[in-house]
Amino acid sequence: MNSLMPLRRPRHFVNSSCNCCAANSSATKLYTGPDMSKSALVTVREFQLKDETAVKTIFATGMMGLAGQIWTDAYSLWTFPAASVGTAAITFGLCKLTDSSILTTTLATLASAAALPAVFRLYVNKIMADYVNASLSDDLKDIQTFYSEKGAGPGSVFLVACMTSAEGREEVVGHVGLERKSDTEAELRRMSVRPGIRRAGIGSRLCKALIDHARGAGFKRVFLATSSAQQPAMKLYKGQGWVEEKVAKHLYGVVGIHYLGLKL
């Protein structure tokens, strides 16, 4: 695609290797899942204004869902147990210095150790909520304008995956954006698939469609950032040839931000 000016009809991104529906050349996958009573065709096309609410809902739901995974990762890394023991030890010491009773010392020690995970979870939820709100005020505020030639620049695009039932009911179930950074480089952003129908190949279709578009737009390299809490996404990217370039630790070492690149 050479132009990203508003289209009268949405363009569809076709995976030529998919022969699940020869009658409909825009179909990229045949899916049967718990969300749909019958089989549904999944297509990938450019974003339209009618998709805005669904895209923002999928994005916000997906990001807030990561809070629980980050909390779980903190336990698996012994962050909470170690911190809880340290907090309990400090509380115990302070109680002893103030000549508190054995009961008071015991209760204060246990309470301080138990409270830390809950406080951390609230902290993570606040961070994710702030991130979602900031994103909805940034590129997701006006998706059609931002991911356009007049917005982020030539080659930028925002794609959505749509599931269409046998009755013709269409639902947006995933999305991904490509933001131009230079004449030769672009960034993959906002990849997300609706919870409940993940691991059905929809994210893979979106990613492949975006790469095909980036290559056709003349970019030589695309890059992205994802977190250690998004292991399925990491597996998807690396399976398609993305190479990890660096990792930065955040949230006291609990979360790693992984930067990946792909030469086209």
Side-chain angles (χ1 to χ4, degrees):
M1 299 189 307
N2 298 320
S3 171
L4 292 179
M5 296 299 288
L7 302 172
R8 293 183 179 180
R9 298 181 63 184
R11 303 181 218 182
H12 289 76
F13 293 75
V14 185
N15 186 329
S16 60
S17 64
C18 178
N19 56 8
C20 60
C21 184
N24 185 346
S25 62
S26 67
T28 60
K29 185 177 178 64
L30 187 63
Y31 172 80
T32 303
D35 285 41
M36 309 290 281
S37 58
K38 298 181 180 180
S39 297
L41 292 173
V42 173
T43 58
V44 177
R45 61 166 172 78
E46 287 190 27
F47 171 86
Q48 301 174 49
L49 284 177
K50 66 178 183 178
D51 307 324
E52 184 174 18
T53 298
V55 166
K56 292 181 178 180
T57 299
I58 292 171
F59 171 76
T61 301
M63 290 299 100
M64 292 308 300
L66 290 178
Q69 184 60 52
I70 293 172
W71 189 77
T72 301
D73 289 347
Y75 261 112
S76 66
L77 293 171
W78 289 93
T79 301
F80 284 153
S84 295
V85 169
T87 302
I90 293 172
T91 303
F92 181 82
L94 290 174
C95 288
K96 283 297 184 180
L97 287 174
T98 56
D99 294 325
S100 300
S101 67
I102 294 177
L103 178 61
T104 300
T105 300
T106 302
L107 292 177
T109 300
L110 292 175
S112 63
L116 189 62
V119 171
F120 185 79
R121 187 157 196 165
L122 290 173
Y123 176 60
V124 172
N125 285 340
K126 176 65 165 56
I127 288 176
M128 297 309 298
D130 288 346
Y131 174 73
V132 168
N133 290 331
S135 300
L136 294 177
S137 298
D138 186 22
D139 59 306
L140 296 182
K141 182 177 182 179
D142 187 347
I143 299 170
Q144 192 169 58
T145 298
F146 186 92
Y147 291 94
S148 69
E149 185 172 358
K150 293 182 178 180
S156 300
V157 72
F158 199 89
L159 306 179
V160 295
C162 297
M163 183 180 290
T164 305
S165 68
E167 294 78 18
R169 180 167 57 93
E170 182 186 75
E171 295 182 57
V172 174
V173 295
H175 55 78
V176 65
L178 185 74
E179 180 184 354
R180 176 191 179 95
K181 291 298 184 179
S182 70
D183 290 344
T184 59
E185 292 189 328
E187 180 181 7
L188 181 152
R189 304 185 66 187
R190 311 306 185 193
M191 167 74 85
S192 189
V193 175
R194 193 175 74 190
I197 55 173
R198 291 172 179 170
R199 295 179 175 82
I202 295 173
S204 178
R205 299 288 181 180
L206 279 166
C207 192
K208 288 179 179 178
L210 196 77
I211 291 171
D212 288 344
H213 171 83
R215 187 177 288 113
F219 295 117
K220 302 302 180 184
R221 176 179 174 271
V222 288
F223 60 92
L224 62 86
T226 190
S227 74
S228 56
Q230 297 166 287
Q231 286 301 314
M234 288 281 292
K235 183 177 180 180
L236 184 158
Y237 296 135
K238 291 184 177 181
Q240 292 189 1
W242 294 73
V243 177
E244 187 170 274
E245 298 174 342
K246 67 176 181 177
V247 181
K249 293 292 185 178
H250 295 272
L251 279 178
Y252 310 102
V254 174
V255 178
I257 303 300
H258 298 254
Y259 297 88
L260 291 81
L262 178 69
K263 293 182 179 180
L264 304 180

